[in-house]
Amino acid sequence: MNQKTLETERLILRRFREEDLADFYEYASRLEVGPAAGWKPHDNPEESRAILAGFIEGEEVWAIVWKEMGKVIGSVGLHADGRRSASPEIKMLGYVLSPDYWGRGIMTEAARRMVSCAFEEMGAELLTIQHFSFNSRSKRVIEKCGFTYEGRLRRCFLRYGGEWLDECCYSMTRDEYFLEGAEKFC
């Protein structure tokens, strides 16, 4: 999918650019961010540059830009779900946000916009999302977006450093999205 720019009241969701490196490294190096998503905090800007190049080349990850300042404060993506069929109609939502912006409803705002994009613009039939069992912040975002809890996969993710983590799994079908009222996502 060729990404276009998406907007919400406070956010712009767009493709990453090379000039986003400083903002990306700023949040990706934080101890509160990577481990909650399963990856090691970035050690230096060069590590961030290599990952950013992959985001720019690919089409799955979007920058979350805080309109008020024009600053990249996180990322959101629609990925293939490795636990399900390789069907393009099945997407997995993932996201991270700088801790400086936690507790303001920003991630829920971005996630809802991506849910509507997945179903209305990309033709998804199923959207999945997971969080590690300890990540109560992500759990709240997922619940606010109206996903259905499917269950807990025990010791299914090996995080850097060798720690096995449980994942709590959720999903939303296309029918559920439209029956629940798509207007709440826009």
Side-chain angles (χ1 to χ4, degrees):
M1 175 183 140
N2 188 6
Q3 287 183 354
K4 64 178 185 172
T5 299
L6 304 174
E7 291 195 40
T8 68
E9 181 181 335
R10 300 177 292 173
L11 307 172
I12 297 170
L13 309 176
R14 61 156 171 82
R15 293 188 63 96
F16 270 97
R17 305 173 185 148
E18 288 181 20
E19 58 266 26
D20 296 330
L21 178 60
D23 290 346
F24 178 48
Y25 175 67
E26 183 180 323
Y27 74 80
S29 63
R30 300 278 298 266
L31 293 176
E32 308 96 308
V33 176
W39 43 268
K40 180 180 76 56
H42 296 187
D43 291 327
N44 56 63
E46 289 310 309
E47 183 178 357
S48 294
R49 183 184 312 279
I51 294 167
L52 185 64
F55 291 169
I56 292 169
E57 186 176 309
E59 294 186 343
E60 294 183 344
V61 181
W62 306 52
I64 299 173
V65 181
W66 185 244
K67 280 184 185 178
E68 186 177 306
M69 300 180 314
K71 180 179 183 67
V72 176
I73 60 172
S75 64
V76 61
L78 291 169
H79 311 276
D81 183 338
R83 291 191 177 85
R84 312 247 181 176
S85 163
S87 167
E89 291 87 24
I90 298 174
K91 298 289 181 192
M92 180 183 69
L93 178 63
Y95 49 74
V96 298
L97 184 67
S98 168
D100 297 340
Y101 298 86
W102 289 357
R104 301 184 197 183
I106 292 169
M107 198 66 254
T108 301
E109 188 175 323
R112 283 182 173 160
R113 183 61 184 98
M114 292 307 288
V115 168
S116 71
C117 178
F119 289 115
E120 295 182 22
E121 299 170 39
M122 298 176 74
E125 290 294 327
L126 180 72
L127 189 59
T128 66
I129 190 165
Q130 298 87 34
H131 68 82
F132 295 126
S133 57
F134 62 82
N135 192 340
S136 60
R137 289 182 176 278
S138 192
K139 178 182 179 181
R140 284 195 303 274
V141 169
I142 293 166
E143 290 172 345
K144 287 178 189 176
C145 287
F147 283 87
T148 299
Y149 181 68
E150 293 182 332
R152 183 178 185 143
L153 293 174
R154 298 180 340 177
R155 297 178 49 92
C156 69
F157 187 91
L158 182 60
R159 186 165 59 176
Y160 70 94
E163 180 183 10
W164 284 99
L165 301 175
D166 295 356
E167 282 188 328
C168 300
C169 303
Y170 302 76
S171 66
M172 181 184 298
T173 67
R174 181 178 189 78
D175 289 342
E176 289 168 339
Y177 171 78
F178 285 107
L179 287 174
E180 291 295 319
E183 64 278 353
K184 80 177 184 178
F185 290 91
C186 297

